[in-house]
Amino acid sequence: MLTGRRFRVEFTDEQVEYAERIGAACRAVWNTGLEQRREYRRRGAWMNYQSQAKELAEAKTEHSWLKAVPGHCLQQTLMDLDRACRERGTFRVRWRSGRRWSPSFRFPEGNKMAVEKLNRRHGRIKLPKLGWVKFRAGRSLDGETLRSATLSREGRHWFLSVLVDDGRQTPEAHVSPGSAVGVDRGVAVAIATSDGELIDSQFVAPGERRRGIALQRKLSRCAKRSTNRDKTRAALAAVRARERRRRLDFAAQVAHRLAVANAVVVLEDLKTKQMTKSAKGTIESPGRNVAAKSGLNRAILSKGWHQFALALSSAARYTGTAVEKVPAAYTSQRCSACGHVDPRSRESQAVFRCTRCTHCEHADVNAAKNILAAGLAVTACEDQPRPAGRARSPKQEPAGNREELLLQPTTAAPAA
Ligand SMILES: [Zn+2]
């Protein structure tokens, strides 16, 4: 199946300069192409990829700087523009500004690229016009078929992302059929499972948080378009990037572990985008709400809910795990032992104490159990038509341990 690999590139000085030039050319092609499309739209006409590619070929005979960069990268830029305009609408696609857009361009025809191992830590890949590009080979690409390669700059460093076919297939069935787990993604604790496991991680050290805040303040004081501002922005971006990478790593590791151990993983169907939308529009006390909402937003985004869902669907391809999503309504208010729904049962952020049967448990674990029960109810209904894009390997009905799970006595001690 198709998957991505990312490596840090070690360019020579000439290559850095040339890569920047390719990036600048792609940016110019994007902006010119977008301007042309907008102009056409204003007149009620459409511009498509074919005619733009033709015009690009003509422009190359006139402008030597366009001819000097790999033509494939420019074509790919036009293709990306075409897709962006079709998906988002011509007037919502953004310009690529020299200050805000960091260069990124793609080489198709990965099957024609040679990859060699240099030593234990390094490899090299031959790219059109750039020549041999050295990269830190964190993992081997042996036995994998290259589809395309993308070079992009993040801060000071360049990265090589390759799309590869690793030759593996999604297994027909999971190795431990019948196993299932419910996952509650929370704000206080990143992930709680129905097995009673609480998985959390801090992605920013206290010192890093202080430094981030200090840099943010410094940035707000910097004069616009000054060199100092650029430097501060770069430093802040580096701090943020480190945090982002840790979050991705955490999501990938937990997702892998859960997918390996379970044939079914049930998640709440959280609409993160909608939940984190700005609260400015609300009627009741807007000033207060905005602050509270933005705090929650930061908490939601900082725990990486969306990334976890993505990482899980990616890991599930390798294990044959079915990922179910169930509506999130009442999962935090329902008692997982007796089914009683009462908002008052949620005693605090962490404690759930049922108002009817006095069942007491960690609130997130209780929610995870409800999510699991809801998910298993869905998987048991094989007759129901399944929405597209949620493929599931056949014969994975977890009915075997379903009752067992539902009738499982609670492990937590009841309230005194
Ligand atoms: Zn109860």
Side-chain angles (χ1 to χ4, degrees), residues 335 337-340 354 356-359:
C335 170
C338 72
H340 183 57
C354 181
R356 193 164 82 184
C357 72
T358 70
H359 164 66

Side-chain angles (χ1 to χ4, degrees), residues 182-198 268 331-332 346 348-352 361-371:
V183 172
D184 179 60
R185 290 170 280 175
V187 173
V189 175
I191 286 160
T193 71
S194 54
D195 301 332
E197 203 183 351
L198 299 171
E268 306 159 83
T331 49
S332 63
R346 184 77 183 253
S348 66
Q349 177 68 47
V351 180
F352 181 94
E361 194 166 31
H362 190 287
D364 291 340
V365 173
N366 178 68
K369 286 185 179 170
N370 288 327
I371 291 165

Side-chain angles (χ1 to χ4, degrees), residues 33-257:
L34 181 57
E35 177 56 42
Q36 191 184 35
R37 279 170 180 267
R38 288 189 174 179
E39 196 50 50
Y40 267 66
R41 282 311 297 137
R42 282 189 206 107
R43 287 190 269 126
W46 289 99
M47 191 50 164
N48 61 16
Y49 167 73
Q50 271 75 21
S51 23
Q52 284 200 321
K54 224 171 109 193
E55 285 185 32
L56 174 68
E58 282 162 19
K60 267 172 38 179
T61 57
E62 282 175 39
H63 303 286
S64 58
W65 57 275
L66 273 178
K67 221 174 163 181
V69 301
H72 271 154
C73 297
L74 302 176
Q75 282 172 14
Q76 295 286 318
T77 302
L78 282 182
M79 279 183 203
D80 291 346
L81 177 67
D82 185 55
R83 199 175 55 226
C85 287
R86 273 188 283 120
E87 281 174 6
R88 274 181 279 161
T90 309
F91 289 92
R92 283 205 202 126
V93 175
R94 299 180 68 164
W95 303 108
R96 287 185 170 172
S97 102
R99 273 170 179 270
R100 300 181 65 175
W101 184 69
S102 55
S104 163
F105 43 87
R106 186 168 63 242
F107 297 89
E109 302 194 336
N111 51 348
K112 289 182 190 164
M113 289 169 197
V115 181
E116 279 178 10
K117 209 174 158 123
L118 284 175
N119 51 43
R120 216 153 53 84
R121 296 219 177 94
H122 293 91
R124 61 176 190 170
I125 182 168
K126 197 167 189 190
L127 295 173
K129 291 199 181 179
L130 265 164
W132 287 106
V133 170
K134 190 174 165 189
F135 60 90
R136 297 185 183 181
R139 66 180 295 156
S140 169
L141 284 170
D142 290 347
E144 302 186 336
T145 321
L146 254 67
R147 293 295 183 89
S148 69
T150 303
L151 284 173
S152 57
R153 178 161 62 76
E154 193 186 297
R156 285 181 300 128
H157 303 297
W158 282 85
F159 292 89
L160 166 75
S161 312
V162 285
L163 179 69
V164 298
D165 187 346
D166 59 7
R168 290 171 64 184
Q169 303 288 326
T170 304
E172 275 289 298
H174 195 272
V175 285
S176 43
S179 52
V181 73
V183 172
D184 179 60
R185 290 170 280 175
V187 173
V189 175
I191 286 160
T193 71
S194 54
D195 301 332
E197 203 183 351
L198 299 171
I199 312 165
D200 200 11
S201 174
Q202 288 303 319
F203 305 105
V204 197
E208 285 175 323
R209 181 169 293 123
R210 280 198 298 275
R211 183 167 153 72
I213 292 169
L215 283 170
Q216 190 95 61
R217 281 190 191 135
K218 194 177 164 196
L219 188 68
S220 68
R221 286 195 301 266
C222 284
K224 269 189 184 169
R225 295 187 174 274
S226 64
T227 315
N228 239 338
R229 190 185 162 84
D230 287 347
K231 275 190 203 162
T232 315
R233 255 187 53 182
L236 188 62
V239 172
R240 297 263 190 275
R242 206 177 310 144
E243 184 191 341
R244 193 168 61 243
R245 283 196 296 267
R246 282 183 202 142
R247 216 181 288 141
L248 278 172
D249 181 55
F250 170 77
Q253 291 200 27
V254 177
H256 173 75
R257 190 149 64 79

Side-chain angles (χ1 to χ4, degrees), residues 1 168-175 315-321 392-394 396:
M1 56 193 110
R168 290 171 64 184
Q169 303 288 326
T170 304
E172 275 289 298
H174 195 272
V175 285
R317 296 188 307 159
Y318 288 92
T319 56
T321 302
R392 195 153 56 89
S393 37
Q396 262 197 14

Side-chain angles (χ1 to χ4, degrees), residues 305-320:
W305 285 357
H306 178 61
Q307 278 152 9
F308 178 72
L310 276 183
L312 189 63
S313 57
S314 173
R317 296 188 307 159
Y318 288 92
T319 56

